Amino acid sequence: MVRKKKTVSKRTVRPAKKKRKGLSLAEKVVLGLVVFVITATMLTLGLSQLFHWRQTRQLVTIEKFSFFGAGQIEGGFDLALDKRGFLYLMDLDANQILKYDLQGKLLKRFGGKGETAGLFSEPYGLAVDRDGAVFVADTWNGRIQKFSGEGVFLREFPGKFYGPRDVAVDRAGNMYVADSGQHQIEKLRADGKPSAQWGSPQTACSRKRGHFCEPRSLDIDSQGNIYVHDVGNKRIQKLDPQGNVVAAWSVRWAHAKESDYPFVAVGDDGNIYVSCPTENVVACYTPLGELRAFYRLAGEGFKYPTGVAFACGKLYVVNRDIKQVAVCEVPRQ
């Protein structure tokens, strides 16, 4: 018997694909453009804001300075000076106010943790009026408290606050409250009755002037203009006594982290001072927002500066990391 041979099918052998040696010219051009755009954006929006203070013509090193408060402060935050030469420091961690003379001698403590009159729950900011009375933004008790310069409780202003962070007082005794939780500034008369309100929860975090996003620090000048640190919008807004915005400027450089909350203060020289905690500098602006200088300390510099004040040629800065207050002799510009 003759066996039939099996037919073996021949598979078509395809030639192996050649490996690409690299990107085509068009692909290289597109990739280069993408890298350029990303780099330019980072430099423009990031580094130029974060390290804006490193502009050498505006960077001023303070050579003469001293510290006080070592071993006395648990967690300093804000401070205020009165007309009689006393300094009041907000010790947020201890829920207390510390009173010093300008030589750094501790004179008195008052406050403590609690909900009753005269006690605090994480107080954030404070102010002193022309008569020497001390006003405290008692944040999580939702009220403003008033004390004598000796720490005697006088009265409270409960209002309808939600997380009031700071307070300022004008010459007529009107109070201005940075109500962070409701994204607004509230004006109260000396008797505590509401007088005006700017911003609202309904317009929270709008970029339009006159609106706010978690305002946390404010101060007032001798003409009654209010300077507000509009945290969420990373800017300072200047309001006239009627609440109209007359100037606004960016302080994005001061926000290296979301947890950084610079303080704003009006100096007796008319300039506006803004602390930058993580960059360890204090900025000085004109009342219309023109940058005058960035101040830093010689040597190791400021240590997470928060509350600031300027009087009689000296800059007072709370250094939260080392729990002390720096007293700086600012060079003339």
Side-chain angles (χ1 to χ4, degrees):
M1 181 183 288
V2 180
R3 294 181 178 179
K4 292 182 180 180
K5 294 183 179 181
K6 292 182 179 179
T7 305
V8 179
S9 62
K10 295 182 180 180
R11 294 181 179 177
T12 303
V13 180
R14 296 180 180 178
K17 291 183 178 180
K18 294 182 179 180
K19 293 183 179 180
R20 294 182 62 178
K21 294 182 178 180
L23 299 174
S24 68
L25 179 60
E27 290 171 328
K28 289 180 179 179
V29 170
V30 172
L31 181 60
L33 288 173
V34 171
V35 172
F36 174 79
V37 170
I38 293 174
T39 303
T41 302
M42 289 178 63
L43 290 173
T44 301
L45 299 180
L47 297 178
S48 64
Q49 293 168 356
L50 184 57
F51 300 108
H52 181 51
W53 64 271
R54 299 184 189 277
Q55 299 177 62
T56 55
R57 289 182 300 173
Q58 296 163 317
L59 183 59
V60 178
T61 300
I62 297 173
E63 301 289 346
K64 295 181 179 180
F65 58 90
S66 60
F67 290 96
F68 68 81
Q72 300 168 344
I73 303 169
E74 289 188 27
F77 221 53
D78 196 12
L79 58 78
L81 302 172
D82 70 10
K83 301 297 183 183
R84 299 175 298 169
F86 297 110
L87 181 150
Y88 297 86
L89 181 139
M90 173 67 71
D91 192 336
L92 182 148
D93 292 13
N95 288 284
Q96 288 185 327
I97 308 299
L98 280 60
K99 180 181 179 179
Y100 290 90
D101 64 21
L102 295 188
Q103 286 70 50
K105 180 181 178 180
L106 178 62
L107 303 175
K108 186 176 290 292
R109 296 173 182 266
F110 57 94
K113 177 70 173 178
E115 299 178 357
T116 57
L119 300 180
F120 309 118
S121 180
E122 295 186 25
Y124 196 93
L126 77 166
V128 183
D129 70 9
R130 61 189 306 177
D131 297 322
V134 181
F135 294 76
V136 179
D138 186 7
T139 302
W140 296 121
N141 282 326
R143 62 190 177 186
I144 303 299
Q145 296 199 64
K146 180 180 179 180
F147 298 82
S148 73
E150 296 303 310
V152 177
F153 171 78
L154 299 177
R155 65 170 298 179
E156 69 176 65
F157 306 94
K160 295 182 179 180
F161 308 120
Y162 182 70
R165 298 282 183 166
D166 204 2
V167 59
V169 186
D170 66 17
R171 292 186 172 185
N174 297 304
M175 292 168 280
Y176 301 82
V177 180
D179 191 345
S180 296
Q182 299 192 78
H183 309 281
Q184 61 193 18
I185 307 301
E186 299 180 34
K187 179 179 179 180
L188 309 178
R189 298 188 326 209
D191 60 6
K193 293 183 179 180
S195 174
Q197 175 185 305
W198 305 299
S200 73
Q202 288 72 36
T203 60
C205 299
S206 167
R207 288 290 299 168
K208 292 182 179 180
R209 290 188 173 195
H211 299 285
F212 306 97
C213 188
E214 293 190 34
R216 288 186 176 239
S217 177
L218 79 170
D219 204 357
I220 190 165
D221 66 19
S222 58
Q223 285 76 47
N225 298 302
I226 308 110
Y227 299 81
V228 181
H229 179 221
D230 184 8
V231 168
N233 288 320
K234 300 179 181 179
R235 64 186 176 185
I236 303 295
Q237 292 200 65
K238 177 183 179 180
L239 313 180
D240 67 16
Q242 290 71 47
N244 303 305
V245 179
V246 295
W249 63 91
S250 173
V251 288
R252 288 181 178 274
W253 58 270
H255 295 261
K257 296 180 180 178
E258 288 299 319
S259 59
D260 295 340
Y261 299 122
F263 280 77
V264 59
V266 179
D268 67 358
D269 57 355
N271 290 318
I272 313 305
Y273 293 84
V274 181
S275 63
C276 177
T278 53
E279 287 299 293
N280 292 315
V281 296
V282 174
C284 175
Y285 294 93
T286 69
L288 292 178
E290 180 183 352
L291 179 65
R292 294 179 62 88
F294 287 107
Y295 293 115
R296 68 176 178 182
L297 292 187
E300 295 184 1
F302 292 117
K303 297 296 183 181
Y304 205 90
T306 53
V308 293
F310 184 91
C312 302
K314 292 185 178 180
L315 181 65
Y316 298 82
V317 184
V318 177
N319 287 251
R320 185 166 170 79
D321 273 2
I322 60 173
K323 303 177 181 180
Q324 296 185 59
V325 176
V327 184
C328 315
E329 294 187 25
V330 176
R332 291 184 178 180
Q333 300 299 301

